Amino acid sequence: MRFIITGRNIDITEGLKSAVEEKLGKLDRFFAPETEVNVTLSVEKERQKIEVTIPVKGNIIRSEQVSSDMYVSIDLVEEVIERQLKKYKNKIVDKQQNAAAFAQEFVEKDYDDDEVKIIRTKRFGIKPMDPEEACVQMELLGHNFYVFFNSETEEVNVVYKRKGNTYGLIEPELD
């Protein structure tokens, strides 16, 4: 695995770099040797945050952890990614296409398969509106997100609530 480690509001010391490589290096048994691991360490006031993104063919494996100590955040993020990999192994390793991104023993080993079960399907009509109007609708409904047809781009978009009473907009990008 190749690590790309960047820092925001923090100097990446040799100690931090080796802690990241040592802890996340435990995941190398799951991935092919040429797999890139993007790690971003950041500090905001008392929050020590680590974001790990591992792009594999057709999927992105990602985790973000925050604590008051960067080394604790590093430990947490490794545990979460390992749990994700084991839980969704059958979903992310499509034997014909994506298997090349993973180590052979990971592909062959069976883990408990917690199937993703969709228990409810909801259909609703969507009228064209701008993102600001969609945010108002979301607030009126008391939801955390709202799917709508963007009248400006003529695409289906999603607005969602973020921390700090702000909003996000998700726009589709076709490959």
Side-chain angles (χ1 to χ4, degrees), residues 130-143:
D130 61 52
E132 290 76 22
E133 187 180 350
C135 289
V136 171
Q137 283 293 312
M138 176 181 62
E139 289 295 338
L140 290 172
L141 290 169
H143 290 171

Side-chain angles (χ1 to χ4, degrees), residues 4-5 12 20 37 43 59 62 85 98 100 106 121 123 131 140 145 150-151 156 163 175:
I4 300 168
I5 303 172
I12 306 299
V20 167
V37 179
V43 176
N59 292 293
R62 185 179 185 287
L85 287 169
N98 296 344
F106 175 60
T121 300
R123 299 177 77 69
L140 290 172
F145 67 94
N150 190 328
S151 59
V156 174
K163 293 177 185 161
D175 288 337

Side-chain angles (χ1 to χ4, degrees), residues 68-168:
S68 58
D69 182 330
M70 187 60 77
Y71 293 96
V72 171
S73 297
I74 293 168
D75 289 346
L76 290 172
V77 83
E78 185 271 335
E79 291 170 11
V80 168
I81 289 176
E82 185 169 343
R83 194 168 49 244
Q84 286 175 340
L85 287 169
K86 288 179 179 176
K87 185 173 182 179
Y88 296 111
K89 178 212 172 228
N90 293 339
K91 306 290 183 264
I92 59 177
V93 178
D94 178 343
K95 299 247 188 281
Q96 287 73 37
Q97 295 177 330
N98 296 344
F102 296 98
Q104 194 60 38
E105 72 178 55
F106 175 60
V107 172
E108 292 170 356
K109 188 169 180 180
D110 276 335
Y111 295 99
D112 293 338
D113 187 15
D114 288 347
E115 279 207 31
V116 176
K117 294 182 180 114
I118 297 174
I119 57 170
R120 183 175 177 200
T121 300
K122 193 173 189 178
R123 299 177 77 69
F124 58 95
I126 55 176
K127 69 172 192 149
M129 62 179 72
D130 61 52
E132 290 76 22
E133 187 180 350
C135 289
V136 171
Q137 283 293 312
M138 176 181 62
E139 289 295 338
L140 290 172
L141 290 169
H143 290 171
N144 296 339
F145 67 94
Y146 188 76
V147 179
F148 68 103
F149 185 80
N150 190 328
S151 59
E152 298 164 359
T153 63
E154 296 189 346
E155 294 179 314
V156 174
N157 289 181
V158 176
V159 289
Y160 61 97
K161 270 189 185 178
R162 295 176 48 89
K163 293 177 185 161
N165 216 16
T166 59
Y167 301 95

Side-chain angles (χ1 to χ4, degrees), residues 41-56:
L41 306 174
S42 60
V43 176
E44 301 164 7
K45 297 182 183 171
E46 306 287 312
R47 300 175 43 178
Q48 311 276 318
K49 181 164 95 172
I50 180 171
E51 299 172 56
V52 177
T53 306
I54 307 170
V56 293

